């Protein structure tokens, strides 16, 4: 082995030059400056090319002779098709529910058959016999072949606004990276908070909380602002999606931001779209909350702030990043910003398009423009001005993959509600509580836990609230739970359920689609953090709500 001398370093970007460095060492740090780099490689290698959205690096082998070495033996071919054991378990799950478990009288045969297909699909998504999009398509096909759903009904969810908002958010993220604006913003974050990875996660989480004042959509905040920034931060640190390096930085920031989104969405009435829906549904049940904006914030503030303080630290221990301390990063980031120079024309266009889209997200409802239409207008602006092109959109596999599997799950979950399966489950819970003759605090805890866990059957927090919020609120009031306490806690619960799995809501689908987190880790961390959030909100909240006089 002999060292290869680095002959040239060329950095290419759509706007201006930026300098990054690679360090091939055991240290868990990264640098933004251009030091001397030496790469060690076999002499048979004549050139080395490493590329990323922000740099291209080439090296040429030295001409000194060396004893030839044999090439490594080729790796055995990977097996094609589905993995046999996960496939068998997934199919068995659906068949057992369909043919071995007796169908309740309240549920139609069509509803029971769809439940078996839904559980078959979910089992496959967890165990992974095939990639997520492929397995969701098989579940969709099964629902049509078995005549459980007609073709038009099975594909109806592909017109859902939420899934198109997810796809367009991916395209926005591509624009942030292509223009270099995401890299510039990420570098500012490194300059201000970059001494530690944990500091970055806190900065991102509290920034999203503040943006809830002006952007009433967790989906819009995730896709339009924070996913592009996180991807740029990860790429700058050499953390790439679908690669072992994802655990260096990207996967930790993704998990932290997703798990904090529940608290940031629950802290303000305007922080999430489903919050207003919950208040409307509560009013229909007979619970009227006076001065709703202030009341909501007072009730949610303390447990939400405690959650935001604890969540990044808990995930730091539960799902630690490989890159933890970067004391030299702020100074390096400051020098990099000097080298980047002024903002380029395309960066200004990207920033203006994003600001215009955010303005429509904030004020669009008042003039009849929905969130997805606002995003479409922003994307059309970027296409017309050439900041991104249609090939950029077509080549974004994550966007189209997420659109496919999320539409399948939204469609199935919606039909489970329409066919009465969800209503049957809520009736079972109500009868169980009546038979146990529990006190209202015990009933409150059980119903809140059931409401949270039943979200595994939903792919939308809004759909979850629309289907189950009224009956669960009515059950709690009947059990003696104070109305305002029950109404608000169910609404908070609805926000916290969005990080249970990769399909639990728009932000979860978006963050998972970025490719930094494995599916099993999404379920594992999601379930553990759901228990943690229940302890935080239940423990801290109970003392705070007692102090406020809610019970």
């Amino acid at each position: 082995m002999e060292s290869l001398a680095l002959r040239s370093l060329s950095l290419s970007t759509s706007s201006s030059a930026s300098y990054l460095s690679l360090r091939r060492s055991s240290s868990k740090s990264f640098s933004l400056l251009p030091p001397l780099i030496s790469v060690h490689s076999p002499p048979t290698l004549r050139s080395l090319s490493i590329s990323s959205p922000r740099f291209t690096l080439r090296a040429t082998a030295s001409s000194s002779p060396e004893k030839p070495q044999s090439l490594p033996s080729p790796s055995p071919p990977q097996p094609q098709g589905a993995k046999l054991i996960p496939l068998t378990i997934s199919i068995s799950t659906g068949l057992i529910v369909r043919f071995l478990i007796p169908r309740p009288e309240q549920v139609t045969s069509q509803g029971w058959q769809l439940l078996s297909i839904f559980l078959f699909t979910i089992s496959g998504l967890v165990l992974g016999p095939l990639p997520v999009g492929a397995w969701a398509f098989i579940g969709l096909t099964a629902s049509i072949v078995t005549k459980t759903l007609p073709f038009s009904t099975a594909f109806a969810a592909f017109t859902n606004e939420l899934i198109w908002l997810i796809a367009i958010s991916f395209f926005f993220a591509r624009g942030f990276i292509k223009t270099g604006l995401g890299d510039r913003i990420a570098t500012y974050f490194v300059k201000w908070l970059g001494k530690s990875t944990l500091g970055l996660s806190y900065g991102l989480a509290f920034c999203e909380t503040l943006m809830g004042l002006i952007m009433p959509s967790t989906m819009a905040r995730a896709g339009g602002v924070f996913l592009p920034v996180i991807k740029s931060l990860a790429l700058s640190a050499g953390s790439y999606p679908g690669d072992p390096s994802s655990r260096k930085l990207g996967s930790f920031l993704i998990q932290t931001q997703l798990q904090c989104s529940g608290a940031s969405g629950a802290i303000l009435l305007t922080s999430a779209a489903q919050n207003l829906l919950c208040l409307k549904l509560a009013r229909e049940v007979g619970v009227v909350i006076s001065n709703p904006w202030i009341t909501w914030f007072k009730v949610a503030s303390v447990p939400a702030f405690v959650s935001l303080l604890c969540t990044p630290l808990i995930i730091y221990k539960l799902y630690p990043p490989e890159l933890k301390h970067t004391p030299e990063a702020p100074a390096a980031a400051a020098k990099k910003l000097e080298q980047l120079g002024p903002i380029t024309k395309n960066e200004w266009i990207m920033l203006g398009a994003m600001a215009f889209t955010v303005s429509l997200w904030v004020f669009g409802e008042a003039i009849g423009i929905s969130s997805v239409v606002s995003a479409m207008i922003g994307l059309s602006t970027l296409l017309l001005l050439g900041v991104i092109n249609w090939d950029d959109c077509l080549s974004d596999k994550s966007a189209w993959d997420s659109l496919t599997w999320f539409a399948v799950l939204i469609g199935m979950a919606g039909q489970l509600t329409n066919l009465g399966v969800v209503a049957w489950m809520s009736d079972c819970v109500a009868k169980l509580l009546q038979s146990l003759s529990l006190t209202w605090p015990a009933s409150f805890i059980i119903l809140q836990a059931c409401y949270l866990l039943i979200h595994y059957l939903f792919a939308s927090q809004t759909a979850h609230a629309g289907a189950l919020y009224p009956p669960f609120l009515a059950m709690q009031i009947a059990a003696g739970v104070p109305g305002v306490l029950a109404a608000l806690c169910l609404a908070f619960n609805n926000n916290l359920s969005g990080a249970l799995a990769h399909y639990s809501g728009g932000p979860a689908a978006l963050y998972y689609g970025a490719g930094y987190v494995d599916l099993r880790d999404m379920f594992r961390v999601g379930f553990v953090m759901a228990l943690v959030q229940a302890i935080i909100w239940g423990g801290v909240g109970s003392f705070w709500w007692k102090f406020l006089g809610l019970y």
Side-chain angles (χ1 to χ4, degrees), residues 119-144:
L119 294 177
F120 151 78
T121 305
I122 294 297
S123 298
L125 293 178
V126 175
L127 299 174
L130 285 173
V132 174
W135 188 255
F137 186 79
I138 289 175
L140 179 68
T141 303
S143 69
I144 297 173

Side-chain angles (χ1 to χ4, degrees), residues 148-189:
T148 306
L149 296 176
F151 186 91
S152 58
T153 303
F155 276 86
F158 281 84
T159 62
N160 186 285
E161 292 186 0
L162 177 61
I163 65 167
W164 285 103
L165 185 58
I166 292 173
I168 294 172
S169 296
F170 274 101
F171 303 148
F172 269 113
R174 180 169 287 265
F176 267 84
I177 293 174
K178 182 179 179 181
T179 61
L181 180 61
D183 190 27
R184 186 182 296 273
I185 295 173
T187 305
Y188 272 110
F189 268 96

